[in-house]
Amino acid sequence: PSALVTGSNGKTTTVRLVAAMLGAGGRVAGFNCTDGVFVGGERIERGDYSGPAGARRVLRDARVQAAVLETARGGILRRGLAVRRVDAAIVTNISPDHFGEYGIHDLSDLAEAKLVVARALDDEGLLVLNADDEVLVAKAAKLDTRIAWFALDNANPRLFAHRAAGGDTCAIADGRLRLHVNGTTHDLGDIRAMPLALEGAATYNLHNLAGAALLASRLGVAPAVIAAVCASFGGARGDNPGRMERWDISGV
């Protein structure tokens, strides 16, 4: 099982989350990100490996049983995708950055570049998109790909209609993260108890949690395992280093 992770923000956190979910589900997960290449929780390369070189390093390691591949804009535009086919892909969001490079001049161009990951999906593949991102919502109308949507509000009209049509979603209802897959809704827990969410204040990490849950589910991780990781990930300093850590020092 393998997945591509791209977007303007949240890529590394999402990659680490999905890898933790795969690991908790009993698989040796390999992933590449802006902090290096990791296999089974062990760092095997240090530095920015968010491009094709990092993906190849993961996929060539014989220990890897599931791969989560951070796929940055620069790598896509310079060298394309490192793989021909994956089971799932996610675009976390689109925000104004890196304009003027490699022909990218506006949000629409940036979205087109990041949505290249959808070309690695076959008929069984799943593209996970942020329903709170207007650019992605507009682009999705032109995609001939199976889509799963995540958002902050489970009552989001797009998510409501998508579930009614048999699609998969993940969002928050009554302060709890709800994963809806294969026609069944699973309670992933109270968002205020999820360390990454900072008692619900870090809405960007709520997006990351919801997107990661859909991606992990497509890669075969059980909802109970996803819920357990959501409830613990971010609680230890080594879970998500360099990404909004909270420290308790002498009671402060």
Side-chain angles (χ1 to χ4, degrees):
S2 55
L4 295 172
V5 177
T6 195
S8 293
N9 300 295
K11 295 186 295 296
T12 296
T13 297
T14 299
V15 163
R16 288 171 170 163
L17 263 172
V18 176
M21 292 169 180
L22 288 163
R27 289 180 175 146
V28 176
F31 69 91
N32 62 295
C33 66
T34 50
D35 284 343
V37 177
F38 299 78
V39 175
E42 172 195 355
R43 188 201 300 263
I44 59 175
E45 298 286 355
R46 183 183 297 272
D48 186 350
Y49 278 87
S50 58
R56 286 194 293 269
R57 185 70 178 84
V58 170
L59 294 170
R60 287 172 176 165
D61 193 304
R63 295 169 294 174
V64 173
Q65 296 173 329
V68 193
L69 311 172
E70 183 170 326
T71 308
R73 167 206 57 85
I76 293 174
L77 292 169
R78 287 192 297 269
R79 295 184 294 276
L81 299 178
V83 293
R84 291 182 180 273
R85 191 200 68 81
V86 292
D87 299 282
I90 184 171
V91 182
T92 58
N93 49 59
I94 303 294
S95 63
D97 58 8
H98 299 103
F99 288 167
E101 299 179 12
Y102 299 97
I104 302 299
H105 299 294
D106 54 34
L107 286 176
S108 178
D109 290 343
L110 190 60
E112 291 287 351
K114 294 184 184 297
L115 284 166
V116 164
V117 295
R119 299 187 187 184
L121 299 169
D122 59 19
D123 292 341
E124 298 299 317
L126 182 70
L127 179 62
V128 179
L129 295 178
N130 186 344
D132 292 330
D133 189 300
E134 295 180 3
V135 177
L136 288 175
V137 170
K139 293 290 184 182
K142 302 176 183 178
L143 295 175
D144 184 22
T145 304
R146 180 184 165 206
I147 294 175
W149 291 101
F150 65 94
L152 293 181
D153 186 357
N154 200 49
N156 180 302
R158 180 165 295 277
L159 269 65
F160 186 85
H162 195 61
R163 286 192 297 272
D168 298 342
T169 67
C170 191
I172 300 160
D174 301 320
R176 304 185 73 84
L177 191 60
R178 312 279 186 175
L179 172 67
H180 184 89
V181 291
N182 300 321
T184 302
T185 299
H186 305 272
D187 185 347
L188 299 184
D190 186 342
I191 61 170
R192 293 165 298 181
M194 297 177 182
L196 273 187
L198 297 177
E199 298 178 5
T203 54
Y204 59 92
N205 269 341
L206 292 173
H207 274 134
N208 293 335
L209 285 158
L214 284 165
L215 210 58
S217 177
R218 177 63 187 87
L219 297 180
V221 182
V225 174
I226 294 172
V229 173
C230 288
S232 63
F233 189 89
R237 285 173 53 189
D239 288 345
N240 199 28
R243 303 294 191 279
M244 185 55 90
E245 294 175 298
R246 180 164 61 175
W247 297 68
D248 186 336
I249 302 173
S250 299
V252 176

